Amino acid sequence: VFGKVTDTMTKSYNKHLEPYKCISLIFQKRTFDIYIPDEQDSKFWMPGISFYVCQAKPQLNHPNYTTKI
């Protein structure tokens, strides 16, 4: 998912993070939270991660799908 939606990303020590630079991969038992500080890098990584997640789990290829992997 994109944005500050996981428990980790919404903690007070992460309040300075810009939501459009946050990515979380949500698994059944944990999350993998990523912050990409450089705007140019985030424009590269966001579509790349989305592409590979959708290749691995085609049913996730929906803009509002946020179920755990």
Side-chain angles (χ1 to χ4, degrees):
V1 293
F2 299 105
K4 294 167 69 171
V5 296
T6 64
D7 290 340
T8 299
M9 290 295 200
T10 59
K11 297 214 183 270
S12 61
Y13 55 79
N14 286 328
K15 66 182 177 182
H16 67 283
L17 301 181
E18 297 169 280
Y20 70 95
K21 296 180 180 180
C22 298
I23 304 171
S24 296
L25 300 176
I26 302 173
F27 300 95
Q28 289 179 355
K29 295 185 178 185
R30 65 181 60 183
T31 64
F32 182 69
D33 300 295
I34 305 165
Y35 180 71
I36 304 166
D38 183 72
E39 190 165 344
Q40 286 302 106
D41 287 344
S42 69
K43 290 178 183 178
F44 172 78
W45 283 103
M46 298 287 194
I49 289 173
S50 294
F51 174 80
Y52 285 108
V53 167
C54 289
Q55 291 296 309
K57 296 279 191 176
Q59 70 271 24
L60 300 178
N61 195 13
H62 187 278
N64 295 321
Y65 195 84
T66 59
T67 296
K68 295 177 182 177
I69 299 172

